Protein backbone atom coordinates (compact mmCIF):
# COMPACT_ATOMS: atom_id res chain seq x y z
CA UNK A 1 0.00 0.00 0.00
CA UNK A 2 1.22 3.49 -0.87
CA UNK A 3 0.27 6.07 1.75
CA UNK A 4 0.59 9.57 0.30
CA UNK A 5 0.94 12.46 2.74
CA UNK A 6 -0.93 15.65 1.84
CA UNK A 7 -0.49 18.85 3.82
CA UNK A 8 -0.31 22.59 3.43
CA UNK A 9 -1.40 25.63 5.35
CA UNK A 10 -4.65 27.38 6.08
CA UNK A 11 -6.09 28.86 2.84
CA UNK A 12 -3.33 27.27 0.73
CA UNK A 13 -5.76 25.12 -1.26
CA UNK A 14 -4.98 21.78 0.37
CA UNK A 15 -8.67 20.90 0.63
CA UNK A 16 -9.10 21.63 -3.07
CA UNK A 17 -6.31 19.18 -3.91
CA UNK A 18 -7.79 16.65 -1.49
CA UNK A 19 -11.13 16.90 -3.30
CA UNK A 20 -9.38 16.42 -6.65
CA UNK A 21 -7.94 13.13 -5.40
CA UNK A 22 -11.44 12.04 -4.34
CA UNK A 23 -12.88 13.01 -7.73
CA UNK A 24 -10.28 10.78 -9.40
CA UNK A 25 -11.15 7.79 -7.25
CA UNK A 26 -8.27 7.98 -4.77
CA UNK A 27 -9.53 7.48 -1.19
CA UNK A 28 -8.63 10.21 1.28
CA UNK A 29 -8.35 9.94 5.05
CA UNK A 30 -9.18 13.46 6.26
CA UNK A 31 -7.67 14.25 9.68
CA UNK A 32 -10.09 17.16 10.14
CA UNK A 33 -13.05 14.79 9.83
CA UNK A 34 -11.42 12.37 12.26
CA UNK A 35 -10.86 15.28 14.68
CA UNK A 36 -14.56 16.17 14.46
CA UNK A 37 -15.48 12.60 15.38
CA UNK A 38 -13.16 12.47 18.40
CA UNK A 39 -14.72 15.71 19.70
CA UNK A 40 -18.31 14.48 19.54
CA UNK A 41 -20.27 14.66 22.76
CA UNK A 42 -19.46 11.87 25.19
CA UNK A 43 -16.30 10.62 23.46
CA UNK A 44 -12.95 10.34 25.21
CA UNK A 45 -11.62 13.36 23.34
CA UNK A 46 -14.68 15.42 24.29
CA UNK A 47 -14.24 14.55 27.97
CA UNK A 48 -10.55 15.50 27.95
CA UNK A 49 -11.16 18.83 26.21
CA UNK A 50 -14.12 19.82 28.39
CA UNK A 51 -12.13 18.96 31.52
CA UNK A 52 -9.24 21.15 30.32
CA UNK A 53 -11.14 24.11 28.83
CA UNK A 54 -14.37 24.12 30.85
CA UNK A 55 -18.01 23.90 29.90
CA UNK A 56 -17.99 27.44 28.47
CA UNK A 57 -16.81 25.94 25.17
CA UNK A 58 -20.00 23.87 24.83
CA UNK A 59 -23.09 24.72 22.81
CA UNK A 60 -26.57 24.34 24.26
CA UNK A 61 -26.77 20.79 22.89
CA UNK A 62 -23.58 19.79 24.69
CA UNK A 63 -21.40 19.62 21.59
CA UNK A 64 -18.13 21.56 21.46
CA UNK A 65 -18.45 25.01 19.91
CA UNK A 66 -15.55 24.62 17.49
CA UNK A 67 -15.50 28.30 16.58
CA UNK A 68 -15.22 29.34 20.23
CA UNK A 69 -12.56 26.73 20.93
CA UNK A 70 -10.68 27.77 17.80
CA UNK A 71 -10.67 31.41 18.90
CA UNK A 72 -9.20 30.40 22.27
CA UNK A 73 -6.38 28.23 20.93
CA UNK A 74 -5.40 30.42 17.97
CA UNK A 75 -4.82 33.36 20.34
CA UNK A 76 -2.86 31.37 22.94
CA UNK A 77 0.04 29.09 21.86
CA UNK A 78 0.12 27.26 25.21
CA UNK A 79 -3.57 26.36 25.01
CA UNK A 80 -3.14 25.34 21.37
CA UNK A 81 -0.34 22.95 22.35
CA UNK A 82 -2.49 21.61 25.18
CA UNK A 83 -5.37 20.91 22.80
CA UNK A 84 -3.05 19.16 20.36
CA UNK A 85 -1.60 16.99 23.14
CA UNK A 86 -5.06 16.03 24.40
CA UNK A 87 -6.45 15.07 21.01
CA UNK A 88 -3.34 13.60 19.33
CA UNK A 89 -3.79 10.03 20.66
CA UNK A 90 -7.46 9.94 19.67
CA UNK A 91 -6.80 11.40 16.21
CA UNK A 92 -3.88 9.02 15.56
CA UNK A 93 -6.04 6.06 16.55
CA UNK A 94 -8.89 7.26 14.34
CA UNK A 95 -6.56 7.69 11.36
CA UNK A 96 -5.13 4.21 11.91
CA UNK A 97 -8.59 2.62 11.82
CA UNK A 98 -9.51 4.54 8.67
CA UNK A 99 -6.32 3.27 7.00
CA UNK A 100 -7.07 -0.27 8.15
CA UNK A 101 -10.59 -0.14 6.67
CA UNK A 102 -9.20 0.99 3.31
CA UNK A 103 -6.51 -1.70 3.49
CA UNK A 104 -9.21 -4.32 4.06
CA UNK A 105 -11.03 -3.05 0.97
CA UNK A 106 -7.91 -3.65 -1.09
CA UNK A 107 -6.95 -0.08 -2.01
CA UNK A 108 -3.36 0.19 -3.17
CA UNK A 109 -2.98 3.99 -2.94
CA UNK A 110 -4.52 6.25 -0.30
CA UNK A 111 -4.00 9.86 0.71
CA UNK A 112 -3.61 11.10 4.29
CA UNK A 113 -4.88 14.70 4.38
CA UNK A 114 -3.31 16.02 7.58
CA UNK A 115 -2.79 19.77 8.23
CA UNK A 116 -0.29 19.02 11.03
CA UNK A 117 1.50 16.22 9.17
CA UNK A 118 4.98 17.36 10.22
CA UNK A 119 4.05 18.79 13.61
CA UNK A 120 2.38 15.50 14.61
CA UNK A 121 5.33 13.56 13.13
CA UNK A 122 2.97 11.57 10.92
CA UNK A 123 5.15 12.28 7.91
CA UNK A 124 7.11 9.11 8.78
CA UNK A 125 4.00 7.10 7.80
CA UNK A 126 3.85 8.56 4.30
CA UNK A 127 5.74 8.54 1.03
CA UNK A 128 5.65 10.68 -1.02
CA UNK A 129 4.77 13.85 0.88
CA UNK A 130 2.85 16.53 -1.02
CA UNK A 131 2.79 20.14 0.18
CA UNK A 132 0.30 22.59 -1.30
CA UNK A 133 2.12 25.92 -1.25
CA UNK A 134 1.23 29.59 -1.80
CA UNK A 135 3.24 32.71 -1.05
CA UNK A 136 2.51 34.46 2.28
CA UNK A 137 0.64 37.43 0.81
CA UNK A 138 -1.63 35.21 -1.29
CA UNK A 139 -2.31 33.04 1.76
CA UNK A 140 -3.23 36.08 3.87
CA UNK A 141 -5.52 37.59 1.26
CA UNK A 142 -7.28 34.29 0.55
CA UNK A 143 -7.87 33.63 4.25
CA UNK A 144 -9.34 37.09 4.84
CA UNK A 145 -11.59 36.77 1.78
CA UNK A 146 -12.71 33.23 2.69
CA UNK A 147 -13.47 33.73 6.37
CA UNK A 148 -14.16 37.45 6.51
CA UNK A 149 -11.56 37.88 9.25
CA UNK A 150 -9.51 40.93 10.15
CA UNK A 151 -5.90 41.09 9.04
CA UNK A 152 -4.74 40.64 12.66
CA UNK A 153 -6.85 37.53 13.22
CA UNK A 154 -5.82 36.09 9.85
CA UNK A 155 -2.13 36.61 10.68
CA UNK A 156 -2.60 34.96 14.09
CA UNK A 157 -4.14 31.88 12.48
CA UNK A 158 -1.38 31.64 9.87
CA UNK A 159 1.37 32.12 12.45
CA UNK A 160 -0.14 29.36 14.58
CA UNK A 161 0.99 26.87 11.93
CA UNK A 162 4.39 25.81 10.64
CA UNK A 163 5.39 28.25 7.85
CA UNK A 164 4.59 26.98 4.37
CA UNK A 165 8.12 27.80 3.21
CA UNK A 166 9.46 25.41 5.86
CA UNK A 167 6.97 22.69 4.93
CA UNK A 168 8.03 23.16 1.32
CA UNK A 169 11.60 22.13 2.19
CA UNK A 170 10.32 18.87 3.71
CA UNK A 171 8.17 17.88 0.73
CA UNK A 172 8.80 15.31 -1.98
CA UNK A 173 6.29 17.07 -4.22
CA UNK A 174 5.31 20.76 -4.07
CA UNK A 175 2.08 21.97 -5.67
CA UNK A 176 2.32 25.72 -6.28
CA UNK A 177 -1.24 27.01 -5.94
CA UNK A 178 -0.62 30.70 -6.45
CA UNK A 179 -2.05 30.58 -9.96
CA UNK A 180 -5.44 29.84 -11.48
CA UNK A 181 -7.69 26.81 -11.02
CA UNK A 182 -6.72 25.65 -14.50
CA UNK A 183 -3.02 25.75 -13.61
CA UNK A 184 -3.75 23.83 -10.42
CA UNK A 185 -5.66 21.17 -12.38
CA UNK A 186 -2.76 20.76 -14.82
CA UNK A 187 -0.26 20.41 -11.99
CA UNK A 188 -2.52 17.96 -10.19
CA UNK A 189 -2.70 15.67 -13.23
CA UNK A 190 1.09 15.34 -13.19
CA UNK A 191 1.05 14.60 -9.45
CA UNK A 192 -1.75 12.05 -9.88
CA UNK A 193 0.26 10.22 -12.54
CA UNK A 194 3.26 10.13 -10.21
CA UNK A 195 1.43 8.74 -7.16
CA UNK A 196 -0.51 6.24 -9.31
CA UNK A 197 2.58 4.56 -10.77
CA UNK A 198 3.03 0.83 -10.00
CA UNK A 199 3.79 -0.03 -6.39
CA UNK A 200 7.30 -0.90 -5.33
CA UNK A 201 7.80 -4.40 -3.92
CA UNK A 202 7.81 -3.09 -0.36
CA UNK A 203 4.59 -1.15 -0.98
CA UNK A 204 3.01 -4.19 -2.63
CA UNK A 205 3.83 -6.40 0.35
CA UNK A 206 2.10 -3.87 2.63
CA UNK A 207 -1.08 -4.05 0.56
CA UNK A 208 -3.83 -6.60 1.23
CA UNK A 209 -3.02 -8.42 -2.00
CA UNK A 210 0.67 -8.45 -1.16
CA UNK A 211 -0.02 -9.81 2.32
CA UNK A 212 -2.11 -12.58 0.76
CA UNK A 213 0.62 -13.50 -1.71
CA UNK A 214 3.23 -13.44 1.06
CA UNK A 215 1.12 -15.73 3.25
CA UNK A 216 0.71 -18.19 0.35
CA UNK A 217 4.47 -18.19 -0.27
CA UNK A 218 5.19 -18.77 3.43
CA UNK A 219 2.66 -21.60 3.56
CA UNK A 220 4.15 -23.17 0.42
CA UNK A 221 7.64 -22.83 1.89
CA UNK A 222 6.58 -24.60 5.07
CA UNK A 223 5.04 -27.49 3.07
CA UNK A 224 8.19 -27.86 0.95
CA UNK A 225 10.44 -27.84 4.02
CA UNK A 226 8.36 -30.52 5.71
CA UNK A 227 8.54 -32.74 2.62
CA UNK A 228 12.33 -32.40 2.53
CA UNK A 229 12.75 -33.39 6.17
Amino acid sequence: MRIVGLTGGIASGKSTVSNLFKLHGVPVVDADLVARDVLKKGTGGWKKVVAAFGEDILRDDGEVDRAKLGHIVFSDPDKRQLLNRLLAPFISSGIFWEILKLWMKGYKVIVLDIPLLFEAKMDKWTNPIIVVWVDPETQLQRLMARDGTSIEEAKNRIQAQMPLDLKKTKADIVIDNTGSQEELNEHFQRVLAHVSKPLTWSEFLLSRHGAFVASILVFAGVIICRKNL
Side-chain angles (χ1 to χ4, degrees):
M1 174 182 271
R2 176 173 298 141
I3 303 178
V4 179
L6 174 65
T7 192
I10 189 168
S12 68
K14 175 186 63 64
S15 295
T16 301
V17 174
S18 181
N19 288 331
L20 286 172
F21 274 113
K22 295 174 188 175
L23 286 172
H24 287 79
V26 180
V28 175
V29 176
D30 189 330
D32 283 341
L33 295 181
V34 173
R36 288 179 185 275
D37 286 340
V38 303
L39 262 183
K40 285 182 178 178
K41 182 179 177 180
T43 62
W46 180 90
K47 292 175 183 177
K48 291 280 189 181
V49 170
V50 173
F53 291 89
E55 295 186 0
D56 288 344
I57 63 169
L58 299 179
R59 304 189 315 227
D60 292 339
D61 61 0
E63 296 289 352
V64 172
D65 187 328
R66 295 176 63 85
K68 184 179 291 186
L69 180 60
H71 180 75
I72 292 171
V73 300
F74 277 120
S75 60
D76 188 326
D78 291 335
K79 290 182 178 178
R80 184 168 63 251
Q81 290 178 9
L82 172 61
L83 179 65
N84 289 338
R85 286 199 304 271
L86 292 174
L87 292 183
F90 298 100
I91 294 174
S92 296
S93 177
I95 289 173
F96 170 79
W97 285 111
E98 291 300 318
I99 293 173
L100 182 60
K101 286 188 284 187
L102 292 170
W103 182 86
M104 292 295 293
K105 292 179 180 179
Y107 284 103
K108 294 182 175 63
V109 178
I110 67 170
V111 172
L112 292 191
D113 178 350
I114 306 180
L116 301 179
L117 182 73
F118 298 114
E119 296 90 330
K121 302 188 185 305
M122 292 185 181
D123 52 307
K124 60 187 177 183
W125 295 5
T126 64
N127 185 37
I129 296 170
I130 301 171
V131 168
V132 184
W133 178 90
V134 291
D135 64 81
E137 183 60 26
T138 299
Q139 184 181 22
L140 180 64
Q141 294 301 322
R142 286 181 180 176
L143 178 57
M144 292 170 62
R146 188 191 74 183
D147 293 352
T149 58
S150 66
I151 186 168
E152 182 180 0
E153 185 176 357
K155 284 183 176 180
N156 285 340
R157 296 184 70 183
I158 291 172
Q159 290 169 1
Q161 299 182 334
M162 181 185 291
L164 275 174
D165 284 343
L166 178 55
K167 290 187 177 184
K168 184 179 180 180
T169 66
K170 298 174 178 287
D172 300 303
I173 300 171
V174 176
I175 297 180
D176 185 340
N177 191 29
T178 55
S180 65
Q181 181 66 47
E182 291 72 21
E183 291 172 321
L184 175 61
N185 289 339
E186 290 178 6
H187 196 167
F188 173 78
Q189 290 299 327
R190 296 194 294 271
V191 172
L192 180 64
H194 178 79
V195 302
S196 301
K197 64 185 180 181
L199 301 183
T200 64
W201 274 108
S202 60
E203 290 172 331
F204 174 72
L205 291 174
L206 288 174
S207 69
R208 191 188 70 173
H209 298 91
F212 177 75
V213 170
S215 64
I216 293 296
L217 291 175
V218 169
F219 180 75
V222 170
I223 297 297
I224 292 171
C225 288
R226 284 184 175 180
K227 286 184 176 181
N228 291 333
L229 291 178

